[in-house]
Amino acid sequence: MSPEISRQIRHGALIITFVALSALLLYTATYSHGRLSSASFSSSFFPSDLNPSSAPDSSQELEQILKKASTGNKTVILTSLNDAWASPGSIIDMFLKSFKLGDGTQKLLEHLVIVALDQKAYNRCRIVHKYCYALVTKDVDFQEEALFMTPNYLKIVWRKIDFLRTVLELGYTFVFSDGDIVWFRDPFPRFFPDVDFQIACDHFLGRPDDMNNSPNSGFIYVKSNNRTIAFYKFWYSSRETYPGLHDQDVLNKIKFDPFISEIGMKIRFLDTANFGGLCEPSRDLNLVCTMHVNCCIGMERKLADLKIILQDWRAFTSLPSDLKNQSIISWRVPHTCSLDPVHK
């Protein structure tokens, strides 16, 4: 090989090396920028777009948001949101509106974290509320409405259980509320003071300690401790014991399991007089804290009855005190929703 050819080869190799190093530096800078963007969850970059190995520490991000939203005793209110329930005039607007119409409930919005399941839901959350968390779920599209017991519905409800376990492990007590629940009074005075796990009911049999009550996992108050963390792990793993069932039906199976007494977790069921729903509406509006559009399938039907519930509450609150005590106004629901034998 001639000296001239050898020189040209070495020159070409240097050029290739320089180009490769430049590309590497550019990639590193882009990658770092992507991490910063995802950590702040900018509207143009949703964390689920990341490769899991390059995603930011979601537990750290979650803890920062929970810390900002929590009460002095590390309690937060949580709800989940996907694109189907996020559009203007949709479920999320009814949910937030109820806090503003309720008796002493607007202050509770300071402790609410909306858990967004997709990019559009996160964008909408940033418009209507200040505490938004983007929950990354690999290879799952949660944007469409998840009809009851469809595969996407099951993925969402079990992802919720696993996420709530993380919240407990971070040391935060929570109230989880489905988005199709409206809040009219502060529920905390109605909770039992020394109970680990409290849950609303589709049907309440009269005693809060009766394990035959029909629980509804759309509204739960859970204290963070070793007992509830162990229980949420057990609940989540039980999806494999009872494949094809959603979280609520699995809870109905495992609530009798000896494991609960072994870990010493105390369960109580909340009276539908205070925490009602379409399955079993609360009869006295002087007592109601929340109202759930359960036993109803389909977003449009839920929306229609949510609007009626808000109208009924406004009519009730406009009454003079003496007429309120006479209970002359009751719920006009279910109306669009029929009492389907389902728990949604």
Side-chain angles (χ1 to χ4, degrees):
M1 182 182 300
S2 70
E4 177 62 24
I5 294 175
S6 178
R7 186 185 65 79
Q8 290 178 356
I9 291 174
R10 287 196 302 272
H11 181 71
L14 286 171
I15 292 174
I16 292 171
T17 301
F18 175 79
V19 171
L21 285 172
S22 299
L24 178 61
L25 288 171
L26 178 61
Y27 170 81
T28 302
T30 303
Y31 171 81
S32 299
H33 176 71
R35 286 180 62 91
L36 290 171
S37 297
S38 62
S40 61
F41 295 140
S42 69
S43 61
S44 62
F45 190 72
F46 194 68
S48 60
D49 295 331
L50 287 169
N51 183 294
S53 63
S54 65
D57 186 343
S58 58
S59 294
Q60 184 179 8
E61 177 70 20
L62 174 61
E63 188 166 17
Q64 290 172 357
I65 295 173
L66 294 176
K67 184 177 181 180
K68 292 176 183 177
S70 68
T71 64
N73 63 352
K74 295 187 72 175
T75 299
V76 293
I77 300 168
L78 303 169
T79 193
S80 58
L81 180 66
N82 71 343
D83 179 34
W85 285 19
S87 59
S90 190
I91 299 288
I92 189 61
D93 286 354
M94 300 297 103
F95 177 75
L96 295 174
K97 187 175 184 179
S98 72
F99 283 85
K100 297 170 184 176
L101 295 176
D103 182 5
T105 49
Q106 184 159 355
K107 63 186 179 183
L108 298 176
L109 289 173
E110 293 296 317
H111 308 297
L112 170 68
V113 177
I114 297 177
V115 181
L117 302 177
D118 57 70
Q119 177 70 69
K120 291 183 179 178
Y122 181 75
N123 291 346
R124 174 70 173 147
C125 178
R126 292 294 299 270
I127 295 172
V128 299
H129 192 61
K130 65 178 179 179
Y131 297 128
C132 306
Y133 176 71
L135 182 60
V136 178
T137 304
K138 185 183 178 184
D139 299 330
V140 179
D141 179 13
F142 286 152
Q143 293 191 41
E144 299 300 321
E145 180 183 7
L147 294 177
F148 186 66
M149 292 307 295
T150 58
N152 243 24
Y153 174 83
L154 293 175
K155 289 175 183 176
I156 287 176
V157 296
W158 285 115
R159 184 68 179 95
K160 176 188 77 174
I161 297 301
D162 193 39
F163 169 75
L164 294 177
R165 184 261 313 158
T166 301
V167 174
L168 294 173
E169 288 180 336
L170 290 172
Y172 289 88
T173 292
F174 65 79
V175 176
F176 177 84
S177 172
D178 277 348
D180 58 347
I181 295 177
V182 283
W183 290 50
F184 294 130
R185 288 188 178 88
D186 185 345
F188 288 95
R190 296 289 184 176
F191 293 143
F192 299 95
D194 299 316
V195 174
D196 300 307
F197 180 95
Q198 305 178 49
I199 187 167
C201 296
D202 283 332
H203 301 286
F204 183 71
L205 300 178
R207 288 196 1 252
D209 60 347
D210 188 344
M211 297 300 284
N212 291 302
N213 283 308
S214 302
N216 187 299
S217 58
F219 189 89
I220 310 180
Y221 175 51
V222 188
K223 293 184 177 179
S224 174
N225 55 46
N226 290 335
R227 296 180 295 276
T228 56
I229 292 169
F231 174 70
Y232 264 80
K233 290 179 179 178
F234 175 60
W235 190 359
Y236 184 70
S237 66
S238 295
R239 77 195 189 285
E240 298 175 353
T241 308
Y242 303 99
L245 297 185
H246 60 77
D247 62 323
Q248 192 168 295
D249 281 348
V250 171
L251 176 61
N252 257 325
K253 301 281 188 184
I254 66 174
K255 66 185 181 182
F256 298 106
D257 197 285
F259 178 77
I260 294 175
S261 58
E262 289 171 9
I263 62 175
M265 191 183 79
K266 188 181 291 187
I267 298 177
R268 290 293 181 269
F269 299 88
L270 299 171
D271 195 334
T272 51
N274 307 119
F275 304 93
L278 297 192
C279 299
E280 193 170 286
S282 48
R283 299 301 177 187
D284 187 349
L285 273 69
N286 290 288
L287 300 177
V288 64
C289 291
T290 63
M291 187 69 170
H292 190 179
V293 185
N294 52 7
C295 289
C296 181
I297 296 177
M299 184 177 65
E300 294 304 319
R301 297 167 71 193
K302 284 178 178 286
L303 267 176
D305 275 22
L306 278 171
K307 290 175 182 177
I308 293 173
I309 291 170
L310 292 180
Q311 290 168 5
D312 290 345
W313 176 256
R314 277 177 159 167
F316 170 76
T317 55
S318 67
L319 292 173
S321 297
D322 57 333
L323 292 181
K324 286 181 183 177
N325 294 330
Q326 295 179 28
S327 300
I328 63 173
I329 291 180
S330 60
W331 301 120
R332 292 176 294 149
V333 291
H335 179 69
T336 306
C337 292
S338 62
L339 284 178
D340 299 311
V342 297
H343 306 141
K344 171 75 165 69

